Amino acid sequence: MRHYAQPHNRDNFDKGMEKTYNPQEIENRWYRQWEQNDYFRPSGRGGAYCIMIPPPNVTGTLHMGHAFQHTLMDALIRYHRMRGDNALWQPGTDHAGIATQMVVERQLEAQGTGRKQLGRAAFIDKVWAWKEQSGGTISRQMRRLGDSPDWNRERFTMDEGLSRAVTEVFVRLHDEGLIYRGQRLVNWDPVLLTAISDLEVNSVEEKGKLWHIRYPLSGTKGHLVVATTRPETMLGDTAVAVHPEDERYRKLIGQTVELPLTGRRIPVIDDDYVDPAFGSGCVKITPGHDFNDYAVGQRHKLPIINVFTPDAKINREAPPAYQGLDRFEARKRVIADLEAAGLLEKIEEHTLKVPRGERTNSVIEPYLTNQWYVRTKPLAEPAIRAVEDGRIRFVPENWSKTYFNWMHNIEDWCISRQIWWGHRIPAWYDKDGNVYVGHNETEVRQKHELKPDVALHQDEDVLDTWFSSALWPFSTLGWPDKKPELQTFYPSSVLVTGFDIIFFWVARMIMFGLKFMDDVPFRDVYITGLIRDEHGQKMSKSKGNILDPLDLMDGIDLEALVKKRTSGLMQPEMAKKIEQNTRKAFPQGMPGYGADALRFTLASLASTGRDIRFDIQRMEGYRNFCNKLWNASRYVLMNTEDQDTGLDPKDPLELSLADRWIVSQLQITERNIGQHLNEYRFDLAATELYEFTWNEYCDWYLEFSKPLLQSAQASAAAKRGTRRTLVRVLETLLRLAHPLIPYITEELWQHIAPLAGKQGATIMLQSYPESDPGKIDDKAAADIGWLKQFVTGVRRIRAEMNIAPAKLLPVIVQGGTAQESALLAQYSEYLSSLAKLESLTPLAADAATPESAIALAGEMKILIPLAGLIDKSAELKRLDRELQRFRHEQEQIGNQLQNKNFTDKAPPEVIGKKRERLHELERALGDLQRQAERIKSL
RNA sequence: GGGUGCUUAGCUCAGUUGGUAGAGCAUCGCCCUUACAAGGCGAGGGUCGCAGGUUCGACCCCUGCAGCACCCACCA
């Protein structure tokens, strides 16, 4: 009789299991069920467990990094949900200001229009439209992976609520003096026409030149030589600096030089900043276009001359000959003119660090503008303490060093951006340039008693995307309102993210969380490695080595893959190479291994503190693992469905040795997996699962179950016990594995659970298995260990003597302890079945035996008569190899035990173990040696 | 210039108070044995980057070196 627990309505459910594992079919089916039944919603019971998703770009697509992090987050959430925690995985997306704006601008360009032509309001409408159109992609892909966030709570950083939080934070920080507006040099992207933060600038080592230029001394003959990598900025020089102690130039300090090409006269100043040993020891000072020079300029009260327009062309401050020239054109012209004037002393090859914008890759200019800043020092101090005193823990721990290093040297954060897509800065100006900050214009007018006739206009700039991201841990929970979920889920339990955004995001969340919630935003920060390709290269479009998680799950044919990798390249000339590599690496395309295989692979590769080389071979292995689990379930089902699995407590039940052993192993596995998951060792958890499933349950337990279930002698109670164990261990195993491989475990659980007497509509909401130490049975483990040794011994002889696997063998046994003999007698049926024996004949220790091949199980000798079966010289070779191995170990241990230092100083239990092992070896050596001599003498 | 990590079987990686090494994949041999050929049963393969030190004993702890990767930093 079947008693499925509230079966979901499915075709072919009652037809038993499909013969082959087909991940795509299962996976599509189950996700819908889960989501429709709202299984992802926090239960409202139990302790709070919360993970805030690092919000992906709303218009983005899922890449391997997401797949990796999401797998870990989802595994944690599913694990805690099953453990009975009130588990919330908060989903959502980020508006990604610059990135998204750039995408839409590019689209407009392709349509022959542009941002400027449309105007601000119309452009923003376009961006929203693009968000509506493409914004669902990433969440669809998350669903494909099996992610289980509470979709009801999905948030977007530009939602009304989150925007309110942004304004609130800005106003409060401003009122406290922690946000200010200031004019200073910023990192300016002349392509995007906006300021960016230090973090968005990457310095890249590039080959350049060092130009040595003569600056004639005023009113006398002679000149100073300055060296520069950026000659065009000389148009904005306002001094030349030398080191105060530099004897060569001491007398020139306070005098002036004639700045070439400009007709200006500039002073020679002294400053410690100058390194007398570098170049000529004289430095041109351009406060308007260099961060160091700016500082020197401040110290010496030098004027600042800005010679660039926002798009880095020469402006009207420079001599007319250069006006309007692009900076690189201007460089050529300046050099040519200096050369013509005989002022170019020499040109050297020079490698230098060029600052480039993260998004545009254009050379970033230090540029003097008005921007908004967050004063970070006061916020950083408590944020440092929170990690120092352990309220926040980095996993692996060493990342806290990186964090400290940055936090101790933190600079004020430039938060204003001259773009349109983002949170508009809540500041208003009157016609005199006075600034008023408030939640809105009405409030500003009230607060500052501004009459209606005072015209105000809002700041044109928007905030850095990371400003709203920094609020994510509480803005998503309804802050500044005091919602119950804010109370419940803040602080979250763990943040899972990459090291690349520790500064951008993690540090800022900690600062803002402590500031506004008076508590840390999360307890643990689990830092993942980067996913690289199988050669250790970063995955990138331009290298053509990107693996798309969707392709790995659902498959792609070769032509489609080649097309995908070679279209839309920035450097089309790479296409040929990429095509070649792709055809070589995936001659058959990709078969589509399913979400579970991808997740299991990512989990097993998730060693802490290490980048991951994604190896598709390994993924295939883990798909095979899923297949193994599938087939094991089929076996269990075939042997238990429509049969008595011991559900009625009145029926007598008897557990065999193998039953007790596998249950014992299961307890150990449960304990280890729980530990590993608690320690974020997903790799070890996956390995544990793999080994138990394949090497214990499938390879041995299922094989042990076969002779018992088929035995004519075994009692109904014993068979019932084995069926019950088959089903119960599998059912538990499915729950254990569910956080890593949710789909296949759900599918199988639906079949298996009723047979194990489990009720429930989904495995997702079942309890997570917990180890019961009372069921750990060392005796059973030892006995099974001996039986395995016996079986393996026979198999080894069989394999090495080239005896057909199907050929039944007669076996003689001799010697052995009383315990071994008892096991032999009791479990001869197992042994015969697993080792394929024809007969099993015990002989007295001193009885004469025929010429045989020998194997040892503990102290028992297993003899397989040679007659007709066995090749004498092959057996001798085999024995010899075995003897050598034993002798080698014997010698090692012997030496050790003869070393007085060792026997005096090593702990007694170590010495005892060695002695024991030595005796074992000596006995085994004796047995094997005698056997070898017998065979030789024939 | 400062900092971090890595170096273990052909490849990708584990290795938990130091007791002289493991897995998967790949390789080789035999098997389509009624859960599974996406499989079964066996086998081979490592001076744990190099050099010292501590220790009875080092893949593990200490020092130095080399190679690789990454992060931070204002040398014109």
Side-chain angles (χ1 to χ4, degrees):
Chain A
M1 148 87 211
R2 294 181 191 184
H3 27 75
Y4 294 124
Q6 306 167 34
H8 287 288
N9 195 13
R10 295 197 351 248
D11 296 342
N12 82 22
F13 188 84
D14 287 323
K15 293 182 210 154
M17 284 173 57
E18 292 291 329
K19 187 148 189 217
T20 51
Y21 168 54
N22 177 356
Q24 285 80 16
E25 190 271 333
I26 299 169
E27 293 172 0
N28 288 324
R29 180 147 44 73
W30 279 110
Y31 199 89
R32 280 201 302 276
Q33 291 280 357
W34 293 334
E35 192 176 355
Q36 280 164 15
N37 286 290
D38 221 10
Y39 294 152
F40 304 158
R41 193 191 282 277
S43 64
R45 294 182 303 275
Y49 186 86
C50 175
I51 297 178
M52 296 286 169
I53 199 170
N57 290 1
V58 64
T59 61
T61 53
L62 193 84
H63 59 242
M64 286 301 280
H66 292 124
F68 180 36
Q69 292 177 0
H70 289 192
T71 293
L72 305 188
M73 284 186 268
D74 193 52
L76 287 170
I77 280 290
R78 287 177 184 273
Y79 170 57
H80 282 273
R81 192 184 284 130
M82 290 176 77
R83 291 215 331 188
D85 289 339
N86 187 20
L88 167 64
W89 186 8
Q90 170 67 50
T93 49
D94 191 274
H95 67 280
I98 292 177
T100 308
Q101 171 158 334
M102 280 175 69
V103 170
V104 176
E105 281 192 76
R106 221 172 285 144
Q107 289 172 354
L108 291 176
E109 268 166 43
Q111 293 159 21
T113 173
R115 170 165 72 103
K116 295 267 165 60
Q117 281 114 295
L118 283 178
R120 185 162 189 151
F123 176 75
I124 287 180
D125 286 346
K126 289 274 184 203
V127 183
W128 277 107
W130 168 240
K131 183 239 169 197
E132 290 313 314
Q133 184 199 323
S134 74
T137 305
I138 190 96
S139 51
R140 271 199 308 281
Q141 293 174 328
M142 284 173 68
R143 285 171 165 90
R144 177 67 192 88
L145 237 200
D147 287 351
S148 65
D150 183 5
W151 290 114
N152 306 301
R153 300 193 47 82
E154 193 172 3
R155 296 289 184 274
F156 175 51
T157 46
M158 295 230 321
D159 279 351
E160 193 276 328
L162 274 68
S163 300
R164 208 154 53 89
V166 167
T167 307
E168 182 68 23
V169 164
F170 188 97
V171 172
R172 282 202 210 172
L173 288 175
H174 179 264
D175 289 351
E176 283 188 51
L178 290 172
I179 281 183
Y180 62 92
R181 191 171 145 83
Q183 190 183 50
R184 58 171 74 170
L185 285 193
V186 293
N187 297 296
W188 183 263
D189 188 321
V191 172
L192 279 171
L193 302 177
T194 177
I196 55 181
S197 77
D198 302 346
L199 290 174
E200 292 160 280
V201 181
N202 301 320
S203 40
V204 190
E205 198 155 274
E206 289 177 19
K207 282 214 167 107
K209 291 190 166 60
L210 193 56
W211 287 273
H212 295 252
I213 306 170
R214 294 177 186 142
Y215 283 13
L217 297 170
S218 305
T220 169
K221 281 197 168 175
H223 55 258
L224 287 176
V225 175
V226 301
T228 181
T229 54
R230 300 207 52 196
E232 68 281 10
T233 64
M234 68 157 294
L235 301 173
D237 285 2
T238 55
V240 171
V242 298
H243 194 272
E245 315 278 294
D246 193 334
E247 291 302 332
R248 291 173 294 177
Y249 304 115
R250 210 162 189 168
K251 59 183 183 298
L252 295 178
I253 295 165
Q255 300 195 21
T256 59
V257 294
E258 303 297 320
L259 183 63
L261 314 182
T262 64
R264 284 195 288 118
R265 180 172 284 187
I266 58 176
V268 177
I269 60 168
D270 62 314
D271 198 286
D272 285 343
Y273 157 66
V274 180
D275 174 5
F278 188 91
S280 62
C282 301
V283 186
K284 63 190 270 308
I285 299 297
T286 323
H289 297 289
D290 182 281
F291 288 103
N292 289 311
D293 293 5
Y294 181 82
V296 173
Q298 296 290 95
R299 286 199 283 277
H300 295 268
K301 306 212 160 39
L302 296 175
I304 299 170
I305 301 178
N306 170 25
V307 296
F308 284 162
T309 59
D311 57 350
K313 293 191 170 73
I314 302 298
N315 70 11
R316 296 173 173 220
E317 294 293 328
Y322 307 101
Q323 287 176 19
L325 291 179
D326 175 79
R327 53 187 162 165
F328 300 112
E329 274 305 307
R331 176 177 300 176
K332 285 183 200 153
R333 184 74 66 83
V334 164
I335 293 298
D337 291 348
L338 288 170
E339 175 109 64
L343 294 173
L344 198 57
E345 176 137 324
K346 61 173 170 177
I347 306 172
E348 289 175 319
E349 296 298 320
H350 184 71
T351 53
L352 69 160
K353 296 276 191 173
V354 178
R356 289 190 177 272
E358 187 182 56
R359 294 290 168 190
T360 57
N361 206 35
S362 58
V363 176
I364 296 304
E365 287 293 340
Y367 199 62
L368 191 65
T369 55
N370 275 307
Q371 302 290 343
W372 290 93
Y373 293 89
V374 174
R375 202 181 301 283
T376 44
K377 282 262 161 22
L379 296 167
E381 280 167 23
I384 290 168
R385 279 200 301 279
V387 176
E388 276 174 348
D389 65 23
R391 276 174 292 152
I392 295 177
R393 186 171 68 112
F394 277 88
V395 181
E397 213 281 320
N398 52 290
W399 286 109
S400 56
K401 284 189 193 170
T402 306
Y403 172 81
F404 288 136
N405 189 38
W406 190 70
M407 290 297 268
H408 283 300
N409 299 300
I410 196 167
E411 299 285 337
D412 282 358
W413 173 17
C414 175
I415 50 171
S416 43
R417 297 290 179 275
Q418 288 66 52
I419 60 171
W420 288 348
W421 176 240
H423 299 100
R424 192 117 173 229
I425 289 174
W428 283 260
Y429 303 88
D430 63 21
K431 65 178 183 350
D432 302 321
N434 294 311
V435 190
Y436 309 99
V437 169
H439 291 85
N440 52 57
E441 188 175 334
T442 319
E443 184 194 275
V444 161
R445 284 183 186 279
Q446 275 170 2
K447 207 156 122 189
H448 298 278
E449 295 173 357
L450 300 174
K451 300 218 173 67
D453 61 332
V454 176
L456 290 179
H457 73 272
Q458 189 175 356
D459 198 310
E460 297 289 331
D461 294 351
V462 301
L463 288 163
D464 181 3
T465 295
W466 295 103
F467 191 88
S468 55
S469 313
L471 319 182
W472 189 250
F474 49 90
S475 65
T476 49
L477 295 172
W479 187 92
D481 296 341
K482 291 197 167 52
K483 295 267 176 63
E485 54 263 44
L486 184 64
Q487 180 71 31
T488 304
F489 293 112
Y490 190 97
S492 65
S493 310
V494 57
L495 177 76
V496 177
T497 193
F499 60 84
D500 49 330
I501 54 176
I502 289 179
F503 308 144
F504 277 108
W505 193 44
V506 180
R508 287 160 179 174
M509 281 192 286
I510 296 174
M511 291 193 281
F512 281 12
L514 287 165
K515 176 73 187 163
F516 292 98
M517 293 297 297
D518 209 24
D519 197 355
V520 296
F522 28 73
R523 310 276 184 215
D524 290 346
V525 182
Y526 177 87
I527 299 290
T528 62
L530 208 68
I531 305 270
R532 299 167 175 278
D533 75 1
E534 71 273 25
H535 307 295
Q537 296 285 311
K538 263 189 196 175
M539 289 190 191
S540 72
K541 177 81 187 158
S542 59
K543 287 192 194 125
N545 61 350
I546 286 188
L547 288 174
D548 185 336
L550 293 180
D551 296 342
L552 292 171
M553 291 188 279
D554 293 330
I556 184 168
D557 66 63
L558 180 60
E559 297 313 316
L561 181 62
V562 166
K563 194 172 168 213
K564 188 167 170 175
R565 285 186 164 189
T566 52
S567 60
L569 285 173
M570 298 285 250
Q571 300 157 287
E573 67 273 16
M574 292 295 292
K576 203 158 202 171
K577 181 105 209 201
I578 289 173
E579 176 168 354
Q580 272 175 9
N581 291 343
T582 302
R583 287 186 187 281
K584 196 173 155 207
F586 304 99
Q588 315 294 327
M590 284 181 223
Y593 297 110
D596 285 330
L598 175 60
R599 292 171 59 118
F600 201 86
T601 308
L602 291 168
S604 8
L605 292 171
S607 306
T608 42
R610 189 174 186 131
D611 283 354
I612 289 173
R613 298 189 188 198
F614 192 87
D615 186 355
I616 202 155
Q617 306 268 28
R618 231 172 130 163
M619 179 157 171
E620 188 173 330
Y622 292 125
R623 188 275 317 263
N624 295 352
F625 170 72
C626 293
N627 186 53
K628 190 76 178 173
L629 189 57
W630 181 266
N631 282 301
S633 302
R634 281 184 58 227
Y635 168 80
V636 171
L637 218 54
M638 284 168 152
N639 284 283
T640 55
E641 214 173 12
D642 303 324
Q643 301 204 48
D644 182 353
T645 53
L647 291 177
D648 189 338
K650 290 196 294 289
D651 292 338
L653 200 74
E654 192 182 304
L655 294 185
S656 71
L657 171 63
D659 293 337
R660 282 179 283 121
W661 164 74
I662 197 66
V663 168
S664 172
Q665 288 301 117
L666 178 63
Q667 308 311 312
I668 295 168
T669 305
E670 287 167 355
R671 185 192 64 205
N672 292 345
I673 289 179
Q675 245 169 43
H676 295 324
L677 289 179
N678 291 337
E679 291 164 3
Y680 305 107
R681 288 304 303 266
F682 303 94
D683 56 333
L684 298 182
T687 304
E688 192 83 21
L689 213 46
Y690 187 99
E691 284 176 354
F692 176 80
T693 304
W694 203 309
N695 303 337
E696 307 291 357
Y697 187 73
C698 291
D699 284 353
W700 290 101
Y701 180 67
L702 295 189
E703 295 308 319
F704 280 129
S705 79
K706 287 174 187 176
L708 194 143
L709 292 177
Q710 284 153 20
S711 164
Q713 285 92 46
S715 67
K719 289 187 178 179
R720 190 177 292 126
T722 287
R723 277 192 217 103
R724 175 186 167 98
T725 306
L726 275 173
V727 157
R728 291 204 161 194
V729 172
L730 178 57
E731 191 274 335
T732 309
L733 176 57
L734 293 172
R735 282 184 287 127
L736 261 182
H738 180 259
L740 292 180
I741 44 175
Y743 290 114
I744 187 177
T745 50
E746 176 75 284
E747 175 74 13
L748 296 174
W749 190 83
Q750 296 294 328
H751 289 90
I752 298 296
L755 297 165
K758 283 275 174 180
Q759 308 289 315
T762 175
I763 191 174
M764 276 191 61
L765 303 181
Q766 300 302 306
S767 67
Y768 200 71
E770 276 183 56
S771 177
D772 176 357
K775 288 184 178 164
I776 294 180
D777 188 338
D778 293 333
K779 174 75 169 43
D783 289 350
I784 289 286
W786 185 83
L787 293 177
K788 283 181 176 181
Q789 224 185 336
F790 190 106
V791 171
T792 310
V794 175
R795 282 175 179 169
R796 203 175 295 144
I797 293 173
R798 181 193 294 277
E800 298 195 19
M801 296 303 115
N802 274 327
I803 301 168
K807 164 90 184 157
L808 298 181
L809 294 175
V811 164
I812 297 166
V813 297
Q814 206 175 22
T817 63
Q819 166 66 8
E820 288 165 359
S821 299
L823 282 170
L824 181 82
Q826 200 175 350
Y827 299 110
S828 60
E829 212 170 342
Y830 282 169
L831 296 175
S832 298
S833 163
L834 297 201
K836 294 261 186 321
L837 304 184
E838 177 191 83
S839 60
L840 190 50
T841 318
L843 281 185
D846 53 358
T849 53
E851 307 86 67
S852 309
I854 189 172
L856 300 172
E859 299 191 12
M860 187 176 279
K861 286 189 274 188
I862 305 166
L863 298 167
I864 298 175
L866 290 169
L869 284 174
I870 290 170
D871 175 350
K872 188 174 132 187
S873 68
E875 171 65 0
L876 271 175
K877 235 169 92 188
R878 189 183 72 89
L879 278 175
D880 203 47
R881 217 170 47 216
E882 205 129 313
L883 279 166
Q884 251 178 37
R885 216 182 339 230
F886 283 168
R887 281 203 200 101
H888 181 68
E889 200 184 339
Q890 182 198 30
E891 193 181 341
Q892 270 186 342
I893 298 181
N895 288 343
Q896 232 172 349
L897 286 170
Q898 263 158 37
N899 183 343
K900 191 149 179 348
N901 275 324
F902 175 74
T903 47
D904 285 352
K905 294 185 182 169
E909 66 269 23
V910 171
I911 298 172
K913 255 192 230 161
K914 299 268 180 193
R915 289 232 160 88
E916 209 175 299
R917 179 69 185 147
L918 190 62
H919 287 142
E920 260 175 52
L921 284 169
E922 281 165 353
R923 206 199 55 248
L925 273 166
D927 286 344
L928 295 181
Q929 220 149 2
R930 276 191 294 279
Q931 185 66 19
E933 273 152 27
R934 272 196 70 186
I935 293 175
K936 254 182 248 169
S937 70
L938 289 174

